[in-house]
Amino acid sequence: MIEILDNLDTLSRPHLDLTAVRMGGVALGAPAISAPRRSIIEAQSSLVVRYRGGTDIDSEYYDADGRRPTLDEVVNHAAQSDGYLYCADKLSYKVRAGTVVGFALYGPHLSHFAHLTSYEGLLAAFGTPDRAREDEAYGDLMGYDAYYWGAQKHVRWDAWDHRISLINLGAFEGNTGP
């Protein structure tokens, strides 16, 4: 089994057997309760109907009755149903029916690819995507989304900062083709 965090070059493969990789010790298909609990700082689940949080603001969750569930309650609900588990080290786990079905990496982990300073460099390193989409806002190019169906992977290129800003694997929209 390949640990992605110990072998980040694995992420550049256009074809990847997702049954043979894990992130942070957690494999796709594993029970979500196996995610590293001590590093989870935020969660998203259907238990939460309103959320308040952000930079330098403690997260607050509210359920349908206006009650404020604890982070542990939200994490437990997400890990046993559907949702997302967000870790302090800029990793996320997508959960469906209590099972990890996707990984996302962002932040400092992607500094491994800092030598790629252009979208063309990304294409040279990762290969031609099965689908690429330009992201524009108000006439400005914000970035590119490159999808590699053979690896069930999405690579986000930030055109403003000239860097990869996100890589996700698994059951995310667009990762498996049309």
Side-chain angles (χ1 to χ4, degrees):
M1 179 111 3
I2 299 169
E3 172 58 55
I4 291 171
L5 300 177
D6 294 336
N7 197 353
L8 290 166
D9 285 329
T10 302
L11 295 171
S12 63
R13 294 181 188 170
H15 298 281
L16 186 60
D17 178 5
L18 295 185
T19 64
V21 298
R22 64 178 184 233
M23 182 180 79
V26 180
L28 286 177
I33 58 171
S34 65
R37 187 63 168 249
R38 67 193 172 286
S39 70
I40 297 172
I41 58 168
E42 207 169 297
Q44 179 182 345
S45 89
S46 61
L47 175 69
V48 177
V49 296
R50 191 167 62 93
Y51 167 80
R52 180 179 176 267
T55 306
D56 298 327
I57 298 173
D58 289 336
S59 297
E60 296 177 3
Y61 301 96
Y62 298 89
D63 67 12
D65 297 325
R67 188 179 71 81
R68 289 184 54 191
T70 66
L71 174 60
D72 280 342
E73 288 176 289
V74 177
V75 169
N76 288 338
H77 190 268
Q80 295 171 8
S81 60
D82 297 344
Y84 294 87
L85 303 173
Y86 302 100
C87 299
D89 51 356
K90 305 297 184 188
L91 304 172
S92 297
Y93 299 93
K94 182 176 182 179
V95 180
R96 189 179 300 139
T99 301
V100 175
V101 297
F103 302 141
L105 294 90
Y106 40 97
H109 298 288
L110 299 179
S111 66
H112 179 78
F113 300 105
H115 64 282
L116 303 175
T117 58
S118 69
Y119 181 63
E120 292 74 21
L122 177 147
L123 295 177
F126 281 72
T128 303
D130 295 295
R131 177 176 167 224
R133 185 178 61 82
E134 285 186 2
D135 179 19
E136 291 185 3
Y138 306 106
D140 291 325
L141 177 64
M142 305 303 289
Y144 295 95
D145 293 293
Y147 296 92
Y148 298 86
W149 298 332
Q152 293 182 34
K153 175 176 61 183
H154 168 212
V155 180
R156 169 80 178 159
W157 177 260
D158 184 319
W160 287 60
D161 290 333
H162 306 284
R163 65 181 179 89
I164 294 173
S165 60
L166 168 76
I167 297 177
N168 68 39
L169 301 169
F172 290 92
E173 185 176 341
N175 284 6
T176 57

